[in-house]
Amino acid sequence: MTRVLGRLWIPVLVVVVAAAGVAAVKNAREIFGSNPVVVTPITSDGAEDFNPKVVTYEVFGSGGTAEVNYVDLDGTPQRTGSVSLPWTLTLRTTNPSASPNIVAQGDGSEIGCRITVDDVVKEERTATGMNAATFCLVKSA
């Protein structure tokens, strides 16, 4: 009989500890309210509920044309090629943040860029010199 009890006490102890653990976890879930799982309806707080951010890129200068490269509001680099000055592009997004960036090089002696977000100028730079180049960057719009 002692031999049988000597072999069974460890498995019995494991079962008792596992049952106590299951009971403790079940009790803790009931106390802290994780049962039932909260399901948020799809229609609440969607991106379409936000007012879109309006970002405007502008390039201006003394020359007639400029090479313009910019990062769109999804973070993808875009190249426009040679554009007439002044040049403007307006983009809209419902993303919570964006990082507008523009680089321009003109064929004149002066060039400038400006980034506005919701009609507020966030960055503006000008440069002078032969085939002047400039950039504007807003880290978080």
Side-chain angles (χ1 to χ4, degrees), residues 1-8:
M1 180 82 162
T2 17
R3 195 171 213 194
V4 171
L5 286 176
R7 288 186 173 182
L8 286 179

Side-chain angles (χ1 to χ4, degrees), residues 30-53:
E30 288 174 3
I31 290 172
F32 294 109
S34 64
N35 284 338
V37 176
V38 177
V39 177
T40 304
I42 293 173
T43 59
S44 70
D45 295 333
E48 54 277 347
D49 296 337
F50 294 111
N51 291 331
K53 288 183 182 177

Side-chain angles (χ1 to χ4, degrees), residues 56-136:
T56 303
Y57 294 111
E58 297 175 66
V59 177
F60 48 89
S62 63
T65 62
E67 294 284 329
V68 177
N69 297 313
Y70 66 94
V71 176
D72 66 17
L73 301 181
D74 293 323
T76 306
Q78 303 292 328
R79 182 176 180 163
T80 64
S82 183
V83 296
S84 298
L85 294 180
W87 176 84
T88 302
L89 175 68
T90 301
L91 302 172
R92 288 176 175 75
T93 185
T94 56
N95 291 338
S97 71
S99 185
N101 181 0
I102 189 167
V103 177
Q105 181 173 12
D107 59 0
S109 61
E110 185 177 348
I111 192 163
C113 63
R114 181 181 304 123
I115 298 176
T116 59
V117 179
D118 295 332
D119 295 325
V120 176
V121 176
K122 295 291 187 172
E123 176 79 345
E124 183 171 356
R125 292 179 187 254
T126 58
T128 58
M130 185 174 177
N131 295 327
T134 188
F135 72 97
C136 290

Side-chain angles (χ1 to χ4, degrees), residues 1-19:
M1 180 82 162
T2 17
R3 195 171 213 194
V4 171
L5 286 176
R7 288 186 173 182
L8 286 179
W9 77 271
I10 291 179
V12 169
L13 180 63
V14 168
V15 169
V16 169
V17 168

